[in-house]
Amino acid sequence: METLHLLAQGFYVALTPENLFLCAVGVVAGTLVGALPGIGPAGATAILLPATFKLGPVGALIMLAGIYYGTQYGGTITSVLMKIPGESASVVTMFDGNPLAKQGKAGLALGLAGIGSFVGGTLSIVGLMMFGPPLASLALMLGPTEYFSLMVMALSLVSAFTGRSLIRALISMVFGLLLALVGQDVMTGTPRLTFGMTGLLDGLDFLPVGVGMFGLCEIIASFEKKQEYEIIKTNLGFFSVLPSLRHIRETFGSMLRGSAIGFLVGLFPGAGPTVSSFLAYGVEQRISKKPEEFGHGALAGVAAPETANNAATGGQMVPMLSLGLPSSPTTAILLASLIMFGLRPGPTLFSEAPDVVWGLMASMYIGNILLVVINLACIPLIVMLMDRVRGYLALVILLLSVLGVYGYRNNVLDVWVMLTFALVGYAMRELEIPETPAILGLLLGGQAESSLRQALVMSDGSLSILVSRPISAAFLFLTLVSLVLPTIILRRKRIETSDEV
Amino acid sequence: MKGPSFFGYRIPIKQLVGGLFLWSMVAIVFWSTRKMTFYAEGAPGPRFMPVVLSVCLGILNLLYWVESATKESVAKPQFAERNLVRPAGFLAIIILLVLCWEPLGAMSAVSLCAILELRFLERYSWSRSILASFVISGATLVLFQFVLGVPLPGGLFEMLSYVRL
């Protein structure tokens, strides 16, 4: 009952004309950016983050969240029409979406994807409402020891699920944690790793690093691969995009299953929309009565992954809002946005800023409705824009990045930091070291260090406190499992493969 | 590109250079925090975390080299075969933009870099590049200076920085 009361308050906040407008702008901007290959959700939210400073915490979050799930749908358009995934979570949609487009059913594919996104997004918000507040209440019982172990577990889970190599992901994580040490030591005020530069005394801010590594770096890398692609010309009028009741009935089961899979997978750090979309596709293929249709235009092959990837966004919001733990680069940017407004996501956010949290949840409901209405009605316009603005995209993103980062503190040093980390991100790609653990390390490193030092003060310097407290020990055990299990599974597979040979 | 051989295993040059860079980071962290306290009166000092993380990074770096030498990396074309002119050109434009930012002013710097990017990287005609750059820089100025209220350096157009809507 209290949840409904709080949700009603949230709608009261979200349904103001200003916030509705921001939600719509976010959804449209996210769809447009997501539709253009080269920038994913993380890059889009990073680049547009500086533009939200003047909006206040509620407005900024509403717009950024709109951008987040707008990009999920936007990536679908390029997957279906051009066989180029706009972002990683849309890769699976390409398997059946593009064949459908070639059969002249692009509108049906996009329409089902839109409806599936709506179903997945809406159901995941219900899950967020159910899980978020109780988890936040439980988190109030955690002390510095448990918090440190929880952050280690979150970082290791992200590392385990990211990239091809656990070692490289861990290197990235440690690198990010080292970056978090730059600046004045919180407890003693001693400058660390500043090399005499007063501009670094406040530490490395997330914004220039995030925009550099995710926004600018992707654009620099995209200049190397000049993609020539063709958009499938097909009827995309409103009525051809709207799926029939028969099609919706046929795929509704897939949408429900995709919602459950997406939300549950999204709860785990590191395993977000991409993993959930692959998993949902695999499940549908396995249980289908006609598995041979998959890969050749199966409707469930579009509906399930699209539902799952939007449902995962809601799942990812649960640890971010309740525990202050981002589980992906995009939720890291949302968390950074809250920090910039002086709010600290975590257990106290629900009590200290309920209008922010419930306003965000209510706006996600509204955003999902706007997503399906705007996108289904405007697909032809979006496709036309994609064709026209391709050549200007890099320049616009560059200007948004530079001006946005400069506008944050009116400091050219931030722009140089952004440029430096764009190059660092490029170098990491060359070395096949994933960037996501580094960015999460940067965000969580400061808090992890202060939690650990507080815990050691409590135990008079003994590390045994980390294993003597049961919750902390459980988190560390799960950390070990997440680090060791993938290696064991991989070795078993290799042994089985060599036995078969 | 293949690197030197150690006991029959080769670490690719890229991974070797990357590893050396990481080792240099470890060394810098150790050296720059040498005068700080590691542990005092039962509490970790400011040197505690840098040293712990540096040790972890050093160990991981060794494992990284072992992995690079024993596992095959994703095959990528050599640098000579890759088209790095365009990314380098884009990078040069960004650097030029930042260098001209305060001396020329935001609008002038943006216009100049937009013309260069559209003409030489996107291969549009001069007229289209110039026209588009004026439109884009004008829109940028309106959005950031007047709508979002970010005070941009005026440079050559100092008087515009005093105008507020």
Side-chain angles (χ1 to χ4, degrees):
Chain A
M1 199 64 190
E2 198 197 338
T3 303
L4 290 173
H5 170 70
L6 289 165
L7 182 63
Q9 270 188 307
F11 272 108
Y12 180 73
V13 169
L15 283 171
T16 59
E18 186 192 342
N19 287 336
L20 275 174
F21 175 71
L22 290 173
C23 188
V25 166
V27 165
V28 171
T31 306
L32 276 174
V33 175
L36 294 159
I39 292 287
T45 41
I47 287 160
L48 293 167
L49 176 62
T52 63
F53 293 153
K54 305 289 177 185
L55 303 176
V58 177
L61 262 189
I62 285 172
M63 185 164 148
L64 289 171
I67 291 166
Y68 187 12
Y69 35 84
T71 51
Q72 303 292 343
Y73 184 73
T76 305
I77 297 176
T78 52
S79 285
V80 170
L81 294 178
M82 295 190 281
K83 210 179 176 183
I84 296 171
E87 35 90 33
S88 58
S90 304
V91 167
V92 186
T93 312
M94 202 173 60
F95 299 161
D96 286 274
N98 190 250
L100 276 170
K102 286 179 180 166
Q103 293 164 25
K105 295 178 189 172
L108 175 60
L110 291 170
L112 272 178
I115 305 259
S117 299
F118 169 74
V119 170
T122 305
L123 292 178
S124 76
I125 300 163
V126 173
L128 171 60
M129 276 169 40
M130 284 167 49
F131 282 86
L135 194 58
S137 307
L138 279 174
L140 283 169
M141 296 190 292
L142 301 180
T145 316
E146 289 79 15
Y147 246 107
F148 172 73
S149 306
L150 178 63
M151 277 185 255
V152 168
M153 184 186 78
L155 286 167
S156 69
L157 276 171
V158 170
S159 302
F161 278 102
T162 308
R164 296 167 53 240
S165 158
L166 179 61
I167 291 168
R168 291 168 205 220
L170 289 173
I171 287 175
S172 174
M173 181 190 84
V174 173
F175 174 64
L177 289 170
L178 276 171
L179 291 178
L181 299 181
V182 174
Q184 284 183 308
D185 175 40
V186 171
M187 289 186 170
T188 61
T190 313
R192 290 186 301 191
L193 304 174
T194 57
F195 308 105
M197 294 166 71
T198 49
L200 291 179
L201 279 175
D202 284 333
L204 282 171
D205 211 274
F206 174 83
L207 180 72
V209 176
V211 174
M213 265 189 169
F214 289 104
L216 218 50
C217 176
E218 281 203 45
I219 290 296
I220 293 173
S222 73
F223 267 97
E224 192 181 339
K225 29 185 178 135
K226 179 94 176 138
Q227 275 175 323
E228 295 298 339
Y229 45 80
E230 196 189 314
I231 300 173
I232 293 175
K233 302 281 183 235
T234 182
N235 178 21
L236 292 171
F238 180 72
F239 291 103
S240 70
V241 166
L242 209 57
S244 67
L245 279 174
R246 179 176 67 85
H247 290 129
I248 294 175
R249 215 173 25 242
E250 211 177 292
T251 53
F252 198 66
S254 308
M255 291 183 192
L256 289 178
R257 284 186 290 273
S259 301
I261 291 170
F263 179 76
L264 291 171
V265 169
L267 287 174
F268 290 93
T274 308
V275 172
S276 64
S277 61
F278 273 94
L279 204 54
Y281 187 86
V283 165
E284 290 305 309
Q285 193 173 20
R286 196 162 281 210
I287 67 174
S288 170
K289 289 173 189 164
K290 297 179 189 173
E292 67 281 359
E293 280 184 6
F294 281 75
H296 302 284
L299 297 183
V302 171
E306 280 301 308
T307 310
N309 76 27
N310 267 61
T313 60
Q316 289 188 321
M317 293 287 192
V318 173
M320 196 271 284
L321 290 173
S322 315
L323 302 171
L325 290 178
S327 47
S328 68
T330 315
T331 44
I333 292 160
L334 293 175
L335 184 130
S337 163
L338 284 169
I339 293 170
M340 280 193 282
F341 286 113
L343 298 168
R344 183 74 218 178
T348 52
L349 184 70
F350 280 78
S351 49
E352 285 174 5
D355 55 332
V356 173
V357 177
W358 293 98
L360 173 64
M361 289 196 219
S363 79
M364 287 168 78
Y365 279 114
I366 297 165
N368 271 303
I369 295 170
L370 286 174
L371 182 81
V372 72
V373 168
I374 291 173
N375 288 328
L376 290 185
C378 299
I379 283 176
L381 179 64
I382 291 169
V383 171
M384 185 201 74
L385 278 173
M386 271 162 51
D387 216 8
R388 299 282 169 90
V389 304
R390 263 187 285 176
Y392 303 100
L393 175 67
L395 179 63
V396 170
I397 288 173
L398 167 63
L399 295 179
L400 281 175
S401 304
V402 171
L403 282 148
V405 167
Y406 176 80
Y408 176 48
R409 292 192 291 197
N410 279 65
N411 190 347
V412 178
L413 179 64
D414 286 336
V415 183
W416 285 114
V417 169
M418 177 187 71
L419 185 55
T420 305
F421 279 94
L423 294 172
V424 168
Y426 192 84
M428 287 172 80
R429 284 171 191 230
E430 287 295 315
L431 297 173
E432 295 166 36
I433 295 176
E435 302 106 317
T436 304
I439 216 75
L440 295 184
L442 172 63
L443 255 183
L444 299 178
Q447 201 183 344
E449 185 192 7
S450 62
S451 298
L452 176 63
R453 286 166 78 174
Q454 281 174 42
L456 290 174
V457 166
M458 281 161 49
S459 65
D460 287 326
S462 169
L463 283 169
S464 61
I465 191 172
L466 295 175
V467 292
S468 60
R469 294 173 78 114
I471 298 175
S472 171
F475 287 150
L476 290 177
F477 175 71
L478 286 170
T479 303
L480 202 61
V481 167
S482 74
L483 293 176
V484 168
L485 198 61
T487 315
I488 294 174
I489 292 171
L490 202 60
R491 272 186 200 261
R492 273 198 165 171
K493 269 190 184 168
R494 282 204 192 126
I495 291 168
E496 280 166 15
T497 313
S498 62
D499 282 347
E500 278 169 20
V501 168
Chain B
M1 215 188 305
K2 294 189 177 168
S5 171
F6 298 100
F7 304 104
Y9 292 102
R10 281 188 186 280
I11 301 173
I13 287 280
K14 253 196 262 185
Q15 275 71 26
L16 188 66
V17 169
L20 287 172
F21 174 74
L22 291 172
W23 276 117
S24 65
M25 269 185 65
V26 171
I28 288 169
V29 171
F30 263 98
W31 179 83
S32 65
T33 58
R34 66 194 185 284
K35 292 180 182 169
M36 295 178 199
T37 324
F38 184 78
Y39 229 90
E41 296 163 4
R47 203 182 185 212
F48 178 74
M49 278 303 270
V51 166
V52 167
L53 290 175
S54 301
V55 169
C56 292
L57 189 60
I59 295 169
L60 286 168
N61 205 11
L62 283 171
L63 293 172
Y64 174 56
W65 273 347
V66 169
E67 186 189 63
S68 303
T70 53
K71 279 186 189 172
E72 282 194 30
S73 183
V74 172
K76 277 189 176 176
Q78 301 297 332
F79 274 119
E81 296 164 4
R82 290 164 64 177
N83 177 18
L84 294 174
V85 172
R86 294 182 82 241
F90 188 70
L91 195 58
I93 288 172
I94 302 173
I95 294 171
L96 181 67
L97 175 63
V98 185
L99 287 173
C100 295
W101 189 254
E102 277 171 342
L104 290 184
M107 197 163 162
S108 310
V110 164
S111 302
L112 174 65
C113 293
I115 291 171
L116 292 173
E117 200 273 337
L118 292 172
R119 177 68 189 98
F120 295 108
L121 292 182
E122 302 300 336
R123 305 260 187 240
Y124 289 135
S125 65
W126 277 108
S127 53
R128 191 172 181 181
S129 303
I130 292 168
L131 183 64
S133 78
F134 282 154
V135 169
I136 289 170
S137 52
T140 306
L141 181 75
V142 167
L143 176 64
F144 280 88
Q145 178 121 352
F146 300 127
V147 175
L148 295 174
V150 175
L152 298 175
L156 296 177
F157 298 97
E158 191 65 39
M159 64 275 191
L160 278 179
S161 65
Y162 296 108
V163 177
R164 291 282 181 272
L165 284 176

